[in-house]
Amino acid sequence: MIATALSYGALWGIAEATIGYLLHLSARLVPLPGIAGFIMFPVAFYCMYRVFMQTGSPGAVLLTAVIAAATKALSALHPVIVPLFVINPSIALLMEGLAVAAAALLLPRALTKPRSLEQAAVILSTAIGWRLLFLSAVLLLPVQKGILMKGPAALSSFLLVEGIFSAVLCFGLLSLSAAPKRASNRSWRTALLLFPLAVALQIASGLG
């Protein structure tokens, strides 16, 4: 279970450091607010979904998010990154994990029922739910309040427009993918190869 979570947490971290980095970079050139968020959550969801399908453990799902958030936090080791700016992205990853782990714990059959309305509803609830959790965390914790200072229109877009769009991408991704296989004895070998790569890429790219 730990090896599977470590493998997919590392893959998630690699995606954040590469795809996420490119999306954040493109957002500076093309005015598409939130593009990184609604594309990267499907990547995160897919990693956590496969962990749950392979292990059957909501705890492993949450551990996957903790590992991804830890690699994200290591962006602070980049010489031009201010540690303060790493906190909110790391919190976002943890909230994504908390939302998906809650779905895996409370509605496991609906989550794993392929191409069904039940699965679509669970995916939508997680896509919007982690955003609510993130906004609550930003409100309550002593961190940067940037998202909360942008006004009702930006908050509505963050919660609903981006949430619904990312849920559609999640559902489409699962519909097109093959059923995951159970974890194999090679999981530790894979994990020990991927995790150092994820850490190195996060440090090299800064905030993805």
Side-chain angles (χ1 to χ4, degrees):
M1 183 186 78
I2 296 174
T4 303
L6 184 59
S7 295
Y8 280 100
L11 280 174
W12 181 357
I14 290 169
E16 288 283 341
T18 53
I19 301 171
Y21 176 80
L22 292 174
L23 288 171
H24 280 291
L25 188 62
S26 65
R28 298 173 186 173
L29 305 174
V30 181
L32 289 174
I35 185 172
F38 64 66
I39 288 180
M40 290 311 299
F41 176 68
V43 174
F45 182 88
Y46 184 70
C47 289
M48 289 185 282
Y49 174 81
R50 291 189 72 91
V51 168
F52 183 62
M53 291 296 289
Q54 291 185 28
T55 67
S57 169
V61 171
L62 186 57
L63 179 58
T64 304
V66 171
I67 291 165
T71 65
K72 172 69 77 174
L74 290 172
S75 300
L77 296 177
H78 191 285
V80 301
I81 297 296
V82 179
L84 182 64
F85 293 110
V86 177
I87 297 174
N88 282 19
S90 298
I91 291 174
L93 268 59
L94 289 174
M95 296 304 103
E96 289 174 4
L98 192 59
V100 178
L105 178 65
L106 300 174
L107 299 164
R109 292 185 180 180
L111 177 62
T112 57
K113 189 175 181 181
R115 302 176 184 86
S116 64
L117 288 177
E118 295 95 327
Q119 186 183 59
V122 171
I123 290 173
L124 180 61
S125 69
T126 59
I128 294 177
W130 82 260
R131 295 167 187 274
L132 287 170
L133 291 171
F134 174 71
L135 291 177
S136 300
V138 170
L139 178 65
L140 297 174
L141 296 175
V143 296
Q144 289 202 344
K145 312 294 183 184
I147 184 67
L148 296 177
M149 306 297 291
K150 294 183 178 180
L155 287 175
S156 297
S157 177
F158 175 72
L159 279 173
L160 299 177
V161 177
E162 296 176 27
I164 292 171
F165 191 86
S166 66
V168 171
L169 289 180
C170 286
F171 188 75
L173 189 59
L174 294 194
S175 298
L176 294 173
S177 64
K181 297 178 181 179
R182 302 293 294 182
S184 71
N185 293 331
R186 292 174 295 182
S187 295
W188 273 112
R189 190 184 311 164
T190 303
L192 294 175
L193 287 172
L194 290 176
F195 185 70
L197 178 60
V199 171
L201 286 172
Q202 282 290 0
I203 295 172
S205 67
L207 278 176

